[in-house]
Amino acid sequence: MRTKSILNLLVIDDDQIYAERLVKLLSAYYDDVNLGFLDDKEKLLKSLRHQWDVLVFGRAYDLSFTDVVGIVQEQGLDLPLVGLMSDEMATTGRNDEGMPAVIDGTMVKALLAEKETQVVMAICLQHANLQSRRQLNTLRHVLSEAELRANILIKNSKSAVAYIDEGIHVFANDSYLKLFNFETMDDIIGLPVIDLIAGGDDIKDFKQFLRQFDKGDREQVEFNFASQRMDGSTFKAKLQLAAATLNGEPVTQIFILQNSNNSAEVAKRFAIAESKDSLTGLNNRRGFEERFEVLYQLVLQDKVSAGLLYIHLDNIGKISSSLGLQGVDITLKQVAYMLDKAVPNGYVSRFSDAAFTVLVEGLKVQALEALAESIRQRIGDMLIEMDKRTIHTTASIGIVNIDSHAAEPKVLLDRAIDAIRHIRIETADQGNASHLYIPGQHADSDDTALAEHLANAITQNRFELLFQPIYDINHDRSNFFEVYLRLPLADAENTVLNPTQFMAVAKTHKLRKKIDRWVLVNACKKLNDVRKTHPEARILVQLTSASLVDNKLPNVVSQLIKAVGGVSGALMLQFNEQDVVNHLTVAKSQFAALSQVNCQTGIRNFGTFAKSIESANFLQPNMVRLARSYMQDINKADNLETIKSLIIRTNKLNIDVLIPYIEEAATMSVAWSIGARYLQGYYLEELSDTMNVV
């Protein structure tokens, strides 16, 4: 039995007779055409509560085509658009040959209204594309659920399993990491799988084996070889390959079965790797989490009071840029040794790349703060020698008191990390301070009130956007603008909040993605207005990790870029380096998807991690924006050489560098000549509510 074909058509125009004429013509292709007709914004917002298949835009009382695109994106709708010729689109809507400037599966811009045959064909094709996308989304959902179930099983499997893409590791479960003595997945991401093969004929044979598998040969999926760990030790193993998907993308699954005669040795290595950090000899994150759980249970039973210190070294990125990984390793070893001696009765762990944790028992809040300050001062006073160079580092320390009413360990750890973020904000990214997390300062009533204000700001457009120009040295112009978000409060002091003051609450209440979407849509509206007189204008928009992991972001961005003229480079999205490192594989996929829709990408606060260059090489953004810490004492020779080295290494990857926070003439004169393409700061121009193209 044939399914009845129905078209739900929404027409925005001031000519209802024309809309009804379209319905009559479309009736030849559909069993039923449901028409929605309106000509103003208020009616549009109400109509979008219902599901429509195609929207045709002609003329409206208080709407432009760009406005409609923005509203559709704000609502998060997959609604194809057909734009009819209007004054707004007279210059940008058609190309030099008189054809519509945009023709694809989600938008046609712009057709002549009197060309009814073209309009009807566009509507039918847009509807057919929409139906295909809906069917594809259903299939993707089924596949995603199956992939999710499979990946959960693999992640928790006792067998050693990894995923590779073109011979490079993109995922490994805990058993795989233990087998090769890796601490975290970050240590193996980007590592060629052949680096884990002992050598000789095995490497040559494995390359041929992998090449045949990639060509589709499934007759041979097993490979016997001698494997090697990072410490050089080897063991005999069998490897099996299978086709798989990760985040919806095709990859190759590796399953490694170790020969049984090595089981005793492996068990011994596993036991050590589970709780010890190979570099410092301290407990690692796994050991910390196990100890934290035991201590937490004792605290809940009122058997002991306890405290947590989260110690983050402030300038590891700069040490790496100046002295390489050897300098980082020496610094971490020396700090680890000092902590172990400074807190003999505590449980000291190396938590991550540049962070340590300390669990202590029996200390009151004041004693915890005193201990944190003592550790901070001792780290700041350390003089670490390496090859006739003296390394100096400082630390930011988050403090959390643990009592019988405390939240669960994961929440307590998040609070300690939030304390570090507070220090970053208060010290303008300089660090070298300690901060006690006091739950009373984060009361639910205050958070709820702010969350309500944020929700209203999204729906009622109460946010404000400011812009700061970025000077392009290569082209000697300032037509590139960074977008800044602000939230006015309705109080007597006319308080205005910046994102660092409200994003924590937005994260708790799951509002960050909606806020990001508001910024994107409204920044592009502003850009569209400016590009009417300055067609080369472009913008840089900062988004949160909520958008970094949002697989719908490229589609949203694609529509917005088309609405502002479809020019490559008109929009660049930047993400914080911390967020990118936390979601490295997802970020690579997202950056590639954004590039496909002519959207450029950038990394903000760049250079704060030991492997910043390696991450940038893996992700290939268009631009990086240096962290503020690099601008401190830029006129000193050592600091200047560090920045020069970082810029040279970044430029070699064909990635542009932006030097921010230029606030005086001396800094400007230095920054001008060290290889960066972009300069930005209050010395050049302050924030403004308009984009003033120079």
Side-chain angles (χ1 to χ4, degrees):
M1 180 177 178
R2 185 177 70 89
T3 303
K4 185 178 181 181
S5 61
I6 299 174
L7 173 67
N8 296 309
L9 179 68
L10 180 61
V11 177
I12 302 176
D13 201 18
D14 56 5
D15 186 356
Q16 187 168 351
I17 295 176
Y18 178 78
E20 291 173 352
R21 168 69 176 166
L22 289 180
V23 171
K24 181 179 179 181
L25 295 173
L26 288 164
S27 296
Y29 306 100
Y30 295 95
D31 295 325
D32 194 6
V33 179
N34 298 322
L35 174 66
F37 180 81
L38 54 94
D39 66 347
D40 63 47
K41 182 176 181 179
E42 183 178 354
K43 291 179 182 177
L44 174 60
L45 292 173
K46 292 180 180 179
S47 293
L48 290 179
R49 298 171 187 170
H50 306 286
Q51 188 178 67
W52 300 99
D53 298 323
V54 181
L55 187 155
V56 177
F57 179 86
R59 293 185 297 270
Y61 170 67
D62 58 353
L63 284 169
S64 67
F65 184 71
T66 303
D67 293 332
V68 173
V69 172
I71 291 170
V72 169
Q73 291 298 340
E74 285 175 341
Q75 301 291 326
L77 301 175
D78 183 6
L79 178 56
L81 304 172
V82 176
L84 305 182
M85 204 66 174
S86 64
D87 292 339
E88 179 202 21
M89 294 184 284
T91 57
T92 64
R94 301 178 76 81
N95 60 26
D96 294 338
E97 303 298 327
M99 298 292 290
V102 179
I103 300 178
D104 62 24
T106 60
M107 183 188 296
V108 177
K109 171 191 175 185
L111 296 172
L112 297 173
E114 60 266 29
K115 300 289 186 180
E116 295 176 340
T117 301
Q118 294 180 7
V119 176
V120 169
M121 289 177 63
I123 293 171
C124 291
L125 291 174
Q126 292 287 352
H127 183 224
N129 266 305
L130 177 67
Q131 289 178 309
S132 296
R133 286 199 300 277
R134 288 173 177 170
Q135 292 171 357
L136 183 59
N137 287 337
T138 301
L139 293 174
R140 282 175 174 166
H141 178 72
V142 173
L143 178 61
S144 176
E145 290 293 322
E147 178 185 329
L148 178 61
R149 290 192 296 271
N151 287 340
I152 289 174
L153 291 173
I154 289 169
K155 184 177 181 180
N156 295 293
S157 174
K158 298 299 182 183
S159 301
V161 183
Y163 290 150
I164 61 172
D165 183 16
E166 296 183 351
I168 303 296
H169 285 92
V170 294
F171 171 84
N173 69 0
D174 288 344
S175 298
Y176 194 97
L177 296 176
K178 291 175 186 176
L179 184 60
F180 293 100
N181 291 350
F182 291 102
E183 288 186 12
T184 67
M185 200 186 305
D186 289 344
D187 296 328
I188 201 170
I189 294 297
L191 183 73
V193 69
I194 60 171
D195 285 4
L196 304 181
I197 297 177
D201 291 337
D202 277 351
I203 290 180
K204 179 181 178 182
D205 292 342
F206 178 77
K207 288 181 177 178
Q208 179 63 24
F209 168 69
L210 186 59
R211 193 177 299 116
Q212 290 299 115
F213 184 89
D214 288 341
K215 288 181 178 179
D217 184 359
R218 299 297 186 265
E219 290 184 5
Q220 181 61 36
V221 295
E222 291 188 354
F223 181 79
N224 292 303
F225 68 111
S227 187
Q228 111 176 324
R229 304 181 181 90
M230 290 297 96
D231 61 5
S233 62
T234 63
F235 61 93
K236 295 289 185 179
K238 178 189 292 185
L239 178 148
Q240 296 177 342
L241 297 182
T245 60
L246 180 66
N247 299 324
E249 297 295 326
V251 293
T252 301
Q253 182 188 98
I254 289 182
F255 173 86
I256 293 182
L257 179 64
Q258 191 173 9
N259 290 355
S260 59
N261 58 2
N262 291 303
S263 59
E265 177 191 351
V266 173
K268 181 179 178 181
R269 290 180 179 276
F270 279 5
I272 296 172
E274 281 178 353
S275 60
K276 292 294 181 182
D277 173 54
S278 59
L279 176 66
T280 64
L282 296 177
N283 307 290
N284 60 18
R285 179 170 180 170
R286 183 185 297 274
F288 160 76
E289 290 174 344
E290 291 174 352
R291 176 59 183 168
F292 197 3
E293 184 61 40
V294 171
L295 182 60
Y296 177 71
Q297 295 302 325
L298 293 175
V299 172
L300 291 186
Q301 299 167 27
D302 273 335
K303 293 182 178 180
V304 66
S305 61
L308 166 64
L309 304 182
Y310 185 92
I311 304 164
H312 187 275
L313 301 186
D314 296 317
N315 62 336
I316 283 294
K318 290 182 69 175
I319 293 173
S320 175
S321 298
S322 178
L323 298 172
L325 290 179
Q326 185 181 1
V328 172
D329 289 350
I330 289 175
T331 302
L332 292 171
K333 287 180 181 178
Q334 292 294 320
V335 172
Y337 179 80
M338 184 279 294
L339 289 174
D340 203 30
K341 297 298 182 184
V343 197
N345 298 321
Y347 191 89
V348 183
S349 307
R350 184 188 176 195
F351 184 82
S352 65
D353 187 27
F356 298 87
T357 52
V358 178
L359 291 169
V360 291
E361 300 179 15
L363 294 185
K364 304 271 186 197
V365 172
Q366 288 184 339
L368 274 175
E369 292 183 286
L371 175 62
E373 272 300 294
S374 172
I375 290 173
R376 183 189 66 79
Q377 291 176 12
R378 292 182 67 168
I379 291 175
D381 292 339
M382 292 177 68
L383 299 176
I384 303 168
E385 301 297 329
M386 175 191 162
D387 297 335
K388 299 181 181 180
R389 294 281 298 275
T390 300
I391 302 173
H392 178 259
T393 188
T394 59
S396 299
I397 305 178
I399 310 166
V400 173
N401 184 48
I402 309 170
D403 57 30
S404 58
H405 302 291
E408 60 184 15
K410 183 180 183 302
V411 174
L412 295 176
L413 179 60
D414 286 343
R415 289 179 177 179
I417 296 173
D418 281 342
I420 298 294
R421 296 192 183 103
H422 173 86
I423 292 170
R424 295 291 183 209
I425 295 167
E426 291 297 312
T427 64
D429 283 332
Q430 296 305 309
N432 195 22
S434 61
H435 177 72
L436 173 67
Y437 185 100
I438 302 174
Q441 294 179 352
H442 304 265
D444 289 342
S445 58
D446 293 340
D447 283 357
T448 302
L450 180 53
E452 290 176 357
H453 190 67
L454 286 168
N456 288 333
I458 295 169
T459 58
Q460 300 174 20
N461 291 318
R462 292 182 180 176
F463 286 111
E464 292 179 352
L465 296 179
L466 298 177
F467 306 89
Q468 186 176 44
I470 299 169
Y471 178 71
D472 186 341
I473 293 177
N474 289 2
H475 297 97
D476 189 26
R477 60 190 181 191
S478 298
N479 60 353
F480 190 17
F481 297 85
E482 182 164 7
V483 180
Y484 292 84
L485 179 65
R486 295 293 183 264
L487 176 66
L489 298 183
D491 58 7
E493 293 77 24
N494 294 319
T495 304
V496 178
L497 303 183
N498 62 49
T500 59
Q501 296 169 296
F502 60 74
M503 274 303 180
V505 173
K507 179 179 180 180
T508 301
H509 292 267
K510 295 180 173 56
L511 294 172
R512 291 186 304 161
K513 187 160 68 173
K514 292 182 179 179
I515 293 174
D516 283 350
R517 187 69 58 86
W518 188 95
V519 175
L520 267 176
V521 169
N522 287 276
C524 285
K525 286 182 181 178
K526 294 274 190 180
L527 178 64
N528 186 64
D529 292 337
V530 173
R531 284 174 65 88
K532 290 176 181 177
T533 52
H534 299 281
E536 299 299 319
R538 53 198 185 112
I539 55 176
L540 173 67
V541 180
Q542 165 82 3
L543 298 182
T544 68
S545 61
S547 291
L548 181 64
V549 300
D550 179 13
N551 57 16
K552 295 181 180 178
L553 179 64
N555 290 334
V556 172
V557 169
S558 176
Q559 290 259 339
L560 292 173
I561 289 176
K562 292 170 188 173
V564 299
V567 180
S568 177
L571 174 62
M572 180 185 290
L573 302 183
Q574 63 173 342
F575 301 90
N576 194 284
E577 187 177 57
Q578 175 76 61
D579 296 331
V580 167
V581 170
N582 288 345
H583 306 89
L584 200 58
T585 305
V586 174
K588 182 176 178 61
S589 175
Q590 189 74 288
F591 278 32
L594 290 170
S595 178
Q596 288 294 316
V597 297
N598 292 327
C599 179
Q600 295 186 338
T601 53
I603 299 176
R604 181 184 178 90
N605 203 30
F606 181 75
T608 59
F609 285 84
K611 297 183 179 179
S612 292
I613 292 293
E614 289 80 356
S615 298
N617 188 33
F618 182 67
L619 295 169
Q620 285 297 306
N622 299 94
M623 185 188 79
V624 296
R625 187 179 189 272
L626 296 185
R628 184 164 196 157
S629 59
Y630 284 91
M631 304 310 295
Q632 184 181 20
D633 299 326
I634 191 176
N635 295 305
K636 291 185 178 179
D638 280 353
N639 289 335
L640 182 58
E641 287 305 312
T642 295
I643 297 176
K644 282 183 178 179
S645 173
L646 182 62
I647 293 174
I648 290 171
R649 294 171 67 195
T650 306
N651 285 340
K652 284 182 179 179
L653 302 176
N654 294 320
I655 299 172
D656 293 324
V657 177
L658 185 156
I659 298 182
Y661 307 110
I662 298 175
E663 298 174 356
E664 56 188 17
T667 305
M668 179 67 181
S669 63
V670 172
W672 180 273
S673 59
I674 57 177
R677 176 176 175 178
Y678 298 107
L679 305 178
Q680 179 189 24
Y682 284 144
Y683 178 78
L684 295 165
E685 190 167 334
E686 296 186 356
L687 301 182
S688 171
D689 58 359
T690 58
M691 286 184 255
N692 300 312
V693 178
V694 179

